[in-house]
Amino acid sequence: MAANNIAVFRKQRGLSQTELAERIGTTLNMLGKLERGDRSLDQAWLDKIGGALGVAPHELIAPDAPEKPISSLSVVTPSSEEVVHIQKLDLSLSMGPGTLIEDWVEAEPVAFDLAFIQAITRTPSSRLKLVTGIGDSMYPTLNWGDVILIDTTDRQLARQDGVYWIDVYGAAGLKRLRNVGKNRVLVISDNPTVPDMEVDAADLRIQGRAIWLARGI
């Protein structure tokens, strides 16, 4: 059994070690030591890593990580006046073939604890959006009904294998992307039963990158 559950939650969130290290402001080497249990996890580390992964700190050191970790919006219900409001879009993004859309409509904003958001990203809250995923092509990384936080400033394929909100051939969806060279991009479905698709970069529009999710019970 692992010394802690950091790697389990990180992989289930679709994050590389490099991405998580950047989020918590540490080096790749240090994160590796924390995951292996070579460095002790004090409360400061637990709070920082838990915030970045969207889980309660105690879950990182529980005897066993849940098979499908749940991180609900209630976890981030603000308990103080230090809140930010993030716009939830009246839009369900397909995790299957793609949802045809012409535009999206903003719904009511959702209040988040400021410290929680700052632990996840440095992007201004005005550039963050919440969307709902439908379909099963990104399972087990994303489930039907997950609420996903999108960083709309991240519109370039700078992170290999990141999960992005994309428009391709007029359809919108959430997919993992990989640059395969010669202006070609592999659009990846995490569900092994769903085939991947290679497209021209010119046919692909990135609307933002998925950086956190909330999952209902």
Side-chain angles (χ1 to χ4, degrees):
M1 183 177 67
N4 57 64
N5 300 320
I6 297 174
V8 175
F9 284 111
R10 173 177 59 76
K11 292 174 183 177
Q12 290 174 332
R13 295 297 189 268
L15 295 173
S16 67
Q17 283 189 318
T18 300
E19 288 174 315
L20 180 55
E22 289 177 355
R23 289 190 186 186
I24 64 176
T26 192
T27 64
L28 184 61
N29 182 51
M30 174 59 77
L31 178 60
K33 290 180 179 180
L34 291 169
E35 287 192 350
R36 294 190 301 271
D38 294 341
R39 291 291 297 268
S40 61
L41 282 168
D42 59 20
Q43 192 60 48
W45 278 120
L46 290 172
D47 290 342
K48 187 177 293 187
I49 297 170
L53 293 174
V55 300
H58 71 84
E59 292 183 88
L60 297 173
I61 53 175
D64 294 291
E67 183 178 350
K68 296 178 183 177
I70 294 171
S71 175
S72 68
L73 286 175
S74 61
V75 173
V76 294
T77 300
S79 57
S80 70
E81 295 182 357
E82 291 187 301
V83 300
V84 292
H85 291 87
I86 297 176
Q87 205 71 44
K88 190 174 189 299
L89 305 183
D90 186 13
L91 168 68
S92 293
L93 290 180
S94 174
M95 297 180 294
T99 303
L100 292 174
I101 61 168
E102 294 183 357
D103 203 355
W104 42 261
V105 178
E106 291 188 345
E108 289 297 317
V110 178
F112 282 79
D113 184 85
L114 175 61
F116 179 85
I117 293 298
Q118 289 178 334
I120 297 173
T121 180
R122 297 178 183 176
T123 299
S125 60
S126 61
R127 302 300 301 276
L128 301 173
K129 304 294 181 185
L130 290 165
V131 298
T132 302
I134 59 173
D136 62 0
S137 74
M138 287 300 292
Y139 179 83
T141 305
L142 300 174
N143 290 349
W144 192 305
D146 283 350
V147 176
I148 299 133
L149 185 63
I150 303 290
D151 181 349
T152 65
T153 67
D154 201 342
R155 297 192 173 196
Q156 301 295 323
L157 184 50
R159 297 172 184 266
Q160 285 284 61
D161 293 344
V163 176
Y164 292 86
W165 167 10
I166 64 170
D167 293 343
V168 59
Y169 303 136
L174 288 161
K175 293 290 184 179
R176 194 176 300 281
L177 300 181
R178 181 181 301 161
N179 191 334
V180 293
K182 297 183 179 179
N183 293 318
R184 301 285 288 178
V185 176
L186 187 63
V187 180
I188 301 169
S189 297
D190 285 1
N191 187 331
T193 66
V194 180
D196 300 334
M197 175 176 62
E198 188 174 313
V199 301
D200 286 327
D203 294 325
L204 182 71
R205 184 170 64 172
I206 297 175
Q207 301 283 14
R209 184 172 62 88
I211 60 173
W212 177 84
L213 67 85
R215 181 165 297 163
I217 297 175

